[in-house]
Amino acid sequence: MTSVVLTWMKNRPFLWFILPGFILYSIFSIYPIFSAIQISLTKWDGIGAKTFVGFDNYVELFSNPELSKQLTNALLNSGTIFLLNAIVVLPLQIILAYLLYSQIKGHRFFQAMIFSPQFISTPVIVFMGALIFDGNIGVFNKLLELIGLGEYTRPWMGLPELGIYIIWILIAWSGIGVGMVFFLGAMKMISNEVMEASVLDGASYWRRFWSIILPQIKTTIFNMLILTYIFAMTTFDFSFMLGGVSGGINRSVDVMSLFFYRIAFGDNSAVGGTTNVNAMGMGTTIACVMFAIVFVVALFQVLTTYRRSED
């Protein structure tokens, strides 16, 4: 049997190049997924013995009033970040990329400035956000007072109804340059002959944007939309730093990853059910639900991309 396998692999030498990567990927990616699914079917506090409970953790997650309320709130907040990124940030990234692609005056400077927040760590970005939106020393309130709109000053970071929007603003500012660079790279792959022909045909600046640039980079737009969704469902650090493990006042900045962290590792306060003695089992259950939410969309992306390549 062994000789048959070796002969089969000898006739396919490329498998020897794939094998090391496949083994590492299986150990560090595939195995943890199946291990998490197995843990989610047990009652476990992370230290003692595991007790198999079947799908009880999933039933409790969706039927326990407090857990389901926190899950819904976190999911809505993550969905809000995704929608705002998709509706506001993504189009802005495309427009900025087009301006840089057109080599407007000072385009290299602007490219560096827009991308520069990537070199700043998240804690510093959150601190800078506090300096801007703080109710007492914030620059934003000072600016409102300066232009005669002092009656609209607010303790912006203390208003629960605005919490997730403050998080989104900080995320958008820190990450807008990344997507812009992806779109800029896609635009630079468009044939120069096509752009030169459109200029000779008299197409205006924005006409070229709508009729040539956007159709040519639609695959990149689609992929960035999927990545934006995955990022929104897995973001953690901004909410944790601004709202702590509880997710802020009334859990106003809670997101899916923070909800998982709170149940698995963080808050030991009573939330009902068996969560206090089942932290790791319930936390892993939440992780599996998050994985399913992301996996369905990622699978859709793969199938759609494959069909386009087949066409």
Side-chain angles (χ1 to χ4, degrees), residues 46-266:
I47 299 175
K50 301 173 191 168
T51 303
F52 181 76
V53 294
F55 290 97
D56 286 0
N57 288 336
Y58 292 90
V59 173
E60 183 176 356
L61 176 61
F62 291 103
S63 61
N64 181 290
E66 182 59 31
L67 281 175
S68 61
K69 179 183 176 183
Q70 291 187 31
L71 172 66
T72 304
N73 177 64
L75 190 58
L76 285 174
N77 283 341
S78 294
T80 299
I81 292 174
F82 165 66
L83 287 176
L84 288 173
N85 279 339
I87 295 172
V88 179
V89 178
L90 208 66
L92 193 56
Q93 288 172 329
I94 297 172
I95 293 173
L96 289 172
Y98 182 55
L99 293 175
L100 296 177
Y101 172 74
S102 307
Q103 298 187 353
I104 60 171
K105 188 175 181 180
H107 64 281
R108 295 190 185 281
F109 170 78
F110 289 119
Q111 181 175 341
M113 287 298 101
I114 296 170
F115 192 76
S116 61
Q118 279 301 301
F119 303 116
I120 305 174
S121 64
T122 303
V124 176
I125 290 175
V126 172
F127 176 69
M128 292 169 68
L131 293 179
I132 294 173
F133 294 109
D134 184 84
N136 296 316
I137 62 171
V139 175
F140 189 61
N141 276 348
K142 300 294 182 187
L143 181 63
L144 289 176
E145 292 173 354
L146 187 66
I147 61 177
L149 298 175
E151 68 271 21
Y152 294 104
T153 57
R154 299 286 188 279
W156 303 102
M157 302 192 78
L159 299 176
E161 63 272 22
L162 297 180
I164 197 62
Y165 299 104
I166 297 292
I167 294 287
W168 169 71
I169 289 172
L170 297 181
I171 290 175
W173 178 71
S174 65
I176 193 169
V178 178
M180 181 197 72
V181 169
F182 276 100
F183 289 124
L184 181 61
M187 291 176 188
K188 286 185 176 179
M189 294 177 68
I190 299 174
S191 169
N192 289 330
E193 287 77 10
V194 173
M195 298 304 297
E196 289 170 1
S198 65
V199 173
L200 292 175
D201 288 342
S204 66
Y205 182 78
W206 290 109
R207 182 66 178 172
R208 294 196 296 275
F209 175 73
W210 288 106
S211 301
I212 298 176
I213 297 293
L214 286 184
Q216 292 284 333
I217 65 169
K218 60 183 179 182
T219 300
T220 304
I221 295 174
F222 175 72
N223 289 333
M224 286 302 299
L225 187 64
I226 299 297
L227 291 176
T228 299
Y229 171 80
I230 294 174
F231 172 81
M233 289 298 156
T234 56
T235 186
F236 170 82
D237 43 4
F238 286 93
S239 291
F240 181 72
M241 290 177 193
L242 272 180
V245 71
S246 63
I249 304 172
N250 298 331
R251 306 196 190 284
S252 58
V253 297
D254 200 11
V255 288
M256 288 297 291
S257 296
L258 185 57
F259 175 46
F260 154 74
Y261 177 82
R262 180 169 60 252
I263 297 300
F265 305 109

Side-chain angles (χ1 to χ4, degrees), residues 1-16:
M1 182 66 181
T2 304
S3 61
V4 174
V5 172
L6 290 175
T7 304
W8 184 78
M9 292 192 67
K10 188 175 180 180
N11 294 329
R12 296 167 178 78
F14 61 90
L15 291 176
W16 294 106

